[in-house]
Amino acid sequence: MSYRVNSAEDLPDRLREQVQKKMGQSGKAAACKYNNIRTEADGHIFDSKREAERYGELKLLYGAREIAALMIQVPFPLPGGIMYLADFVYFDLHERRFVVEDVKGCKTKEYIIKKKLMKEIGIEIREVE
C-alpha cells in the first residue's frame, strides 16, 4: 500500500503518531535517555532537576559571597576538536581558585574521556551527585 503524503496529517493515525514521536512532536516531552527531567530555573534550561537544584545552591553561595563569577554551561575546547560543556564554573573565594563543576547522575564513556582530556590540560572537574 502506498500513500500520497503532503503532511503528517495525511497519514493514518498509527503512522502519524510514529512519525511525530520520531520527530519529537507528539505533544508529550520526549523521554530522556537517563530518566532525567529537564528543568527551567531563572530562564535557564537544565538537563536535570538535580542540576537545577545545584544552580539554586550556587546562587545562595554567590549571594553569601562565598563564590564569585558564577557561569552556566561553559564550553571548553579539547584536543581533537572535542568540546566539553561544564555545568558550572565559578571562583571559590575561600580556595582562591576557579572551580569547574559537573552534576553527575551517570558517568558515560564520553564524559569519562572528556574528564581525562580536561585533566591533561590541567583542569580538574569537581563532580556533584
Side-chain angles (χ1 to χ4, degrees):
M1 178 181 281
S2 64
Y3 298 97
R4 181 171 177 87
V5 178
N6 293 320
S7 71
E9 280 69 38
D10 295 336
L11 293 170
D13 291 340
R14 180 180 54 81
L15 292 176
R16 183 176 59 247
E17 289 170 7
Q18 288 177 358
V19 168
Q20 288 174 332
K21 185 175 180 183
K22 289 271 188 197
M23 296 176 67
Q25 298 174 355
S26 65
K28 296 181 181 177
C32 293
K33 189 173 182 179
Y34 299 103
N35 294 321
N36 54 313
I37 298 171
R38 291 188 186 267
T39 305
E40 185 271 335
D42 291 345
H44 302 286
I45 303 295
F46 295 97
D47 287 338
S48 68
K49 283 184 179 180
R50 177 62 187 117
E51 192 175 321
E53 287 171 1
R54 182 61 181 155
Y55 170 69
E57 294 166 1
L58 290 171
K59 273 183 42 181
L60 289 173
L61 291 172
Y62 180 82
R65 298 184 184 201
E66 299 284 323
I67 65 171
L70 176 60
M71 296 173 275
I72 301 167
Q73 298 176 347
V74 180
F76 287 87
L78 296 169
I82 297 170
M83 186 68 67
Y84 167 68
L85 190 64
D87 292 337
F88 306 104
V89 176
Y90 56 88
F91 189 79
D92 187 310
L93 293 168
H94 293 291
E95 296 178 14
R96 297 200 168 273
R97 68 180 187 94
F98 275 96
V99 175
V100 176
E101 195 172 274
D102 204 299
V103 177
K104 278 289 151 228
C106 178
K107 294 179 188 174
T108 63
K109 290 179 184 179
E110 181 181 353
Y111 168 75
I112 292 167
I113 291 167
K114 289 179 179 182
K115 183 178 178 178
K116 287 179 183 178
L117 289 171
M118 289 286 282
K119 190 171 185 174
E120 285 180 14
I121 64 171
I123 301 172
E124 290 279 338
I125 298 173
R126 180 181 291 173
E127 294 174 356
V128 176
E129 293 184 10

